[in-house]
Amino acid sequence: MREETERAILDAAEVVFAEKGFGGATMQAIADSCGLPKANLHYYFASKEKLYRRVVERIFTIWLEAADSFETEGSPDVALRSYIARKMQLSREHRYGSKVWANEVMHGAPIIQDYLETNLRSWTETRVTVIRRWIDEGRVRPIDPRWLLYMIWATTQHYADFAHQIETLNHGPLDDAQWAGATETVCDIILRGIGIDSDPPA
């Protein structure tokens, strides 16, 4: 029950923080959104800042898990295709968490700057090392690994952070076939751009 309640609180908080920002969101609004008394909300999360950090940490942890392919897959084409496809899927499933992260960073990361300087920096360096190894082995065209990572993040997270714009231009939310098509297009363009000419798995 505790895990289910915490998940419900975090789900509700993602939406409220995404729509109102940290400053505009209130614990009362989050409590109302998940159908709990405000006192119960404070039992699980003592302050708005602690709840906000948990929301940010949750989306970051989900993104970390998406990058497991860097360690588990030996070939760059499989690893990168898996990572990009998973990031696209997460933009569909966790659009509000992505928006919370984007809003925080665009405002100079006043709450999670320490997180960027530690967890994100460390994670990025490990992926840079893997990509450099692929380059040294001649499996990827020589590029700066950071620019590749930034491009993947910017492209995949666009589908969450600018979902309203995409849905307006699309005359509605993307259906399953459109998501699959968008995912394959992103994979194809990025992989070909770094010298990988691979077809999607059958």
Side-chain angles (χ1 to χ4, degrees):
M1 281 293 294
R2 181 180 181 87
E3 289 182 358
E4 291 178 3
T5 301
E6 284 191 359
R7 188 180 304 112
I9 292 171
L10 291 171
D11 288 344
E14 271 190 0
V15 177
V16 175
F17 283 131
E19 293 178 344
K20 304 293 185 181
F22 177 78
T26 65
M27 294 291 270
Q28 185 63 62
I30 295 168
D32 293 342
S33 180
C34 60
L36 288 174
K38 186 178 176 181
N40 288 32
L41 184 62
H42 280 286
Y43 171 78
Y44 287 93
F45 298 96
S47 68
K48 183 172 74 168
E49 181 170 333
K50 288 185 177 181
L51 175 54
Y52 181 81
R53 287 184 67 90
R54 274 290 303 279
V55 167
V56 171
E57 289 169 0
R58 183 170 75 157
I59 188 62
F60 184 67
T61 299
I62 291 170
W63 286 341
L64 287 184
E65 292 170 353
D68 284 349
S69 61
F70 277 76
E71 283 80 32
T72 60
E73 300 292 349
S75 61
D77 58 330
V78 176
L80 289 170
R81 181 178 290 279
S82 174
Y83 178 50
I84 294 168
R86 181 64 178 141
K87 286 286 274 95
M88 288 290 288
Q89 181 181 357
L90 292 175
S91 284
R92 188 181 194 184
E93 297 173 351
H94 294 276
R95 69 163 63 177
Y96 294 107
S98 181
K99 288 179 179 179
V100 172
W101 181 278
N103 287 334
E104 169 72 10
V105 174
M106 285 191 294
H107 286 87
I111 308 297
I112 64 160
Q113 180 62 30
D114 61 321
Y115 210 77
L116 301 184
E117 293 176 352
T118 54
N119 300 56
L120 181 59
R121 181 174 290 165
S122 174
W123 180 90
T124 302
E125 290 301 327
T126 62
R127 272 63 194 178
V128 165
T129 299
V130 172
I131 296 169
R132 283 180 175 153
R133 187 181 71 243
W134 292 338
I135 293 170
D136 292 341
E137 294 170 350
R139 306 171 80 183
V140 172
R141 186 169 63 81
I143 45 97
D144 189 313
R146 285 181 174 79
W147 307 159
L148 173 61
L149 290 172
Y150 299 164
M151 181 179 293
I152 292 172
W153 300 344
T155 305
T156 57
Q157 287 161 229
H158 176 90
Y159 285 84
D161 303 340
F162 289 85
H164 178 74
Q165 175 175 278
I166 290 173
E167 291 173 359
T168 298
L169 296 175
N170 192 59
H171 303 288
L174 303 184
D175 60 27
D176 291 346
Q178 289 173 320
W179 271 102
T183 299
E184 179 51 36
T185 298
V186 173
C187 287
D188 186 63
I189 290 173
I190 292 177
L191 293 180
R192 289 181 188 276
I194 60 173
I196 298 176
D197 188 7
S198 66
D199 295 323

